[in-house]
Amino acid sequence: MRNSKGQTGLLRWLTVILLLSPLSLSAADFSTALRGLDADDFNAKGAAIDQFAAIDDERVVPVLKVMLDGRLYRRKHDAVLVELLATEEGYAAREVTGAERSEDVNKRDFKKVSVNNALRIQLRSTIAQLSLNNRLSEVRLSAVEEMMKGLDSDGAALLRERWAVEKSRQVRETIEVALALVDIQADDAKSRTEAFELLSTSLYPEARAALLGVLENEASSASDKKAAQSALGKIEKRLALVETAETIFFGLSLGSVLLLSAIGLAITFGVMGVINMAHGELMMLGAYTTYLVQLAMPNAIDYSLWVAVPAAFIVAGLFGIAIERGVIRHLYGRPLETLLATFGISLILQQLVRTTISAQNVAVSNPGWMSGSLEIGQAFSLTFNRLYILLFALMVFVGLLLILKKTALGLHVRAVSQNRAMARAMGIRSDWADAMTFGLGSGIAGIAGVALSQLTNVGPNMGQAYIIDSFMVVVFGGVGNLWGTLVGAFSLGVANKLIEPTAGAVLAKILVLVFIILFIQKRPRGLFPQKGRAAEH
């Protein structure tokens, strides 16, 4: 039994050694090849690069890219290879085998690893080969797109080999486009014709540049120039469709901003009949709340908006209730006096922010999940921050609609807005309903400020840029009608962006304003006028 146990233990140790030995050999090979990159002889460096090509290690390609870019250096006192990076203060050094980084280093303490043209060609080829064989399709796609920018015969041969075994449809199609860039110069007329047809379906800039090159080349045949011209025409049509789609997306994005800024005003102005000129400043308070939340949680920016949204709603809502209880409730039925009073309040809020926080614009960071863009095809992308704000605006709209339709507060608000005397007779506290309604509209303005902080500069005057647009949306859609506010916001946003390319940003706003003036002359109550008793008040 003792011998049996001993044999079992020995077998376990042998198994562990056999399992770990490839890793040990790979690590040893990597270290050996890394030292070879710093050899005095260029042939020895080439041999080290070839050795790297046979190593299965995720660190290989980054090291070779650093060498190709001329950022690979040897630290003189310990012969460690580092990546030398230029910074605002000077230079920083990062070891290529790890994440250890030294700031503010002296460049004289390092010696550059020299590279000649032959090594550069070898490096590009090795990097391309390793990237094309990567297990991740995203890495392979990126490698093909990078090779497309300067494809030669050797690179084309690598792509043909990869195409034969590639399983990803997107990578295969991109390889075909890259090979077509080479085939338009082929001796075979059939290959050139097929290449022109394939390039006509691609929106990569390299495809368009290659076709233009055929047209500008005097040596190109008439048939090739005709095929290139036809392919360019198809590309231009697709690019026009993509540009239109982008314009509509930016219009919807602008519409979502207008919806967020106007939906709170639709309650205070549309339901209560109060012309609140401080509405933009309530949005500004929401934006500054976002800034303060990020200051309070600097190491959790990705989660800051989840805290900022309810915080901004509460802060702006409390300010709104205070404004209504302190000023507005004494001025019901006198719209011009509420306009002047709230304009004065807007100036007070602006000065309050200048005094307590800063008179200058402040920086609000985008969370990581709102950075970047969603790539759709080769030339169309949707930025995440605008896409999320569009979805957020629709969520706020639905939430407000449910509050007004399904809650006791919404019932009281609708009752008071339709017939205040009858609502009081039914036992509804109209003063409480007024305060809560104004607070609700102000809180939504604060939420709008959170969204705006992700798109524009946050400063004391930021609300002034949206107050006029907000009134335009409410009046155009129909005073007191939330669905009208939704349709009006997106309609004006898309119309503005469609006019901008030809008329310019300023003239586009003027044309939209003129259109609304003429529209109100024809339909004074907007797109969706209120019906019943509410329309009589």
Side-chain angles (χ1 to χ4, degrees), residues 14-337:
L14 288 174
T15 302
V16 171
I17 292 171
L18 288 173
L19 289 173
L20 294 180
S21 58
L23 299 177
S24 301
L25 290 174
S26 177
D29 291 342
F30 182 86
S31 300
T32 302
L34 190 62
R35 288 194 298 269
L37 295 180
D38 190 31
D40 295 331
D41 183 21
F42 284 122
N43 292 330
K45 292 181 180 180
I49 294 172
D50 288 336
Q51 188 178 357
F52 263 130
I55 299 174
D56 184 15
D57 194 310
E58 62 183 10
R59 297 173 294 175
V60 170
V61 172
V63 170
L64 296 182
K65 285 183 177 180
V66 169
M67 186 176 183
L68 179 61
D69 295 338
R71 302 195 308 272
L72 189 62
Y73 285 76
R74 174 172 54 83
R75 195 157 50 201
K76 293 180 180 179
H77 74 272
D78 58 5
V80 172
L81 292 181
V82 301
E83 178 186 6
L84 205 60
L85 303 167
T87 63
E88 295 181 357
E89 293 79 15
Y91 290 92
R94 184 186 64 83
E95 294 187 12
V96 294
T97 56
E100 184 177 344
R101 175 169 169 152
S102 302
E103 302 290 341
D104 195 18
V105 298
N106 190 345
K107 190 178 181 180
R108 295 179 180 179
D109 296 334
F110 302 85
K111 182 180 179 180
K112 187 175 183 179
V113 176
S114 56
V115 180
N116 59 11
N117 289 333
L119 285 179
R120 291 189 183 92
I121 295 173
Q122 185 181 2
L123 283 167
R124 291 191 186 97
S125 177
T126 304
I127 292 171
Q129 186 174 3
L130 292 173
S131 299
L132 287 175
N133 293 326
N134 194 285
R135 65 181 182 277
L136 299 176
S137 61
E138 296 85 358
V139 176
R140 299 197 301 273
L141 178 62
S142 178
V144 176
E145 292 174 342
E146 186 65 27
M147 293 176 67
M148 194 185 298
K149 298 176 182 178
L151 193 61
D152 54 16
S153 57
D154 293 335
L158 286 175
L159 290 179
R160 293 185 198 278
E161 292 177 5
R162 184 66 222 178
W163 183 87
V165 297
E166 181 58 56
K167 296 181 179 180
S168 170
R169 178 182 175 184
Q170 186 178 10
V171 178
R172 283 175 65 89
E173 291 176 349
T174 308
I175 291 176
E176 291 171 357
V177 172
L179 293 175
L181 296 176
V182 177
D183 290 342
I184 60 173
Q185 304 295 335
D187 296 331
D188 183 16
K190 182 180 179 181
S191 297
R192 294 199 304 273
T193 301
E194 292 176 352
F196 285 127
E197 291 179 357
L198 183 58
L199 292 178
S200 68
T201 64
S202 173
L203 296 181
Y204 279 109
E206 291 78 12
R208 190 169 183 273
L211 293 172
L212 289 173
V214 172
L215 291 176
E216 296 171 357
N217 189 358
E218 297 179 357
S220 301
S221 64
S223 59
D224 285 350
K225 288 186 177 181
K226 183 178 179 180
Q229 187 65 53
S230 175
L232 275 174
K234 294 178 181 178
I235 290 176
E236 293 297 339
K237 288 180 180 179
R238 293 188 65 192
L239 286 175
L241 290 175
V242 169
E243 186 176 353
T244 302
E246 286 183 341
T247 302
I248 292 175
F249 171 69
F250 281 113
L252 293 175
S253 174
L254 175 60
S256 66
V257 173
L258 293 177
L259 176 63
L260 283 172
S261 60
I263 195 171
L265 194 65
I267 298 175
T268 56
F269 176 55
V271 176
M272 300 179 65
V274 175
I275 302 177
N276 182 18
M277 293 301 293
H279 184 77
E281 278 59 45
L282 293 170
M283 294 166 57
M284 178 261 295
L285 290 178
Y288 272 99
T289 301
T290 309
Y291 167 71
L292 295 176
V293 167
Q294 290 192 351
L295 283 184
M297 45 192 305
N299 298 322
I301 297 298
D302 285 351
Y303 307 99
S304 60
L305 291 188
W306 301 104
V307 179
V309 168
F313 180 84
I314 294 172
V315 170
L318 290 176
F319 268 91
I321 292 174
I323 292 171
E324 196 278 336
R325 289 288 84 190
V327 179
I328 301 299
R329 71 186 181 98
H330 303 293
L331 302 175
Y332 283 122
R334 293 179 284 178
L336 292 180
E337 293 184 23

Side-chain angles (χ1 to χ4, degrees), residues 365-481:
S365 303
N366 285 348
W369 49 273
M370 288 188 71
S371 303
S373 59
L374 175 64
E375 301 292 336
I376 303 176
Q378 300 150 8
F380 185 47
S381 61
L382 306 177
T383 54
F384 282 131
N385 60 344
R386 293 183 179 275
L387 187 61
Y388 281 127
I389 288 174
L390 174 59
L391 297 176
F392 179 68
L394 295 176
M395 290 171 59
V396 171
F397 174 81
V398 172
L400 180 60
L401 205 62
L402 291 175
I403 289 175
L404 293 180
K405 297 292 185 181
K406 302 295 183 181
T407 66
L409 172 62
L411 179 64
H412 293 173
V413 168
R414 286 182 285 128
V416 171
S417 65
Q418 290 184 14
N419 193 317
R420 183 177 295 269
M422 182 63 70
R424 285 178 176 175
M426 298 296 293
I428 296 175
R429 293 178 53 190
S430 61
D431 55 345
W432 177 87
D434 289 335
M436 291 299 102
T437 303
F438 203 89
L440 178 62
S442 301
I444 294 174
I447 293 177
V450 177
L452 288 176
S453 70
Q454 303 300 303
L455 295 176
T456 186
N457 294 326
V458 175
N461 299 320
M462 66 174 294
Q464 297 297 311
Y466 295 95
I467 184 64
I468 301 301
D469 290 338
S470 300
F471 275 107
M472 286 170 54
V473 169
V474 172
V475 173
F476 175 65
V479 176
N481 192 309

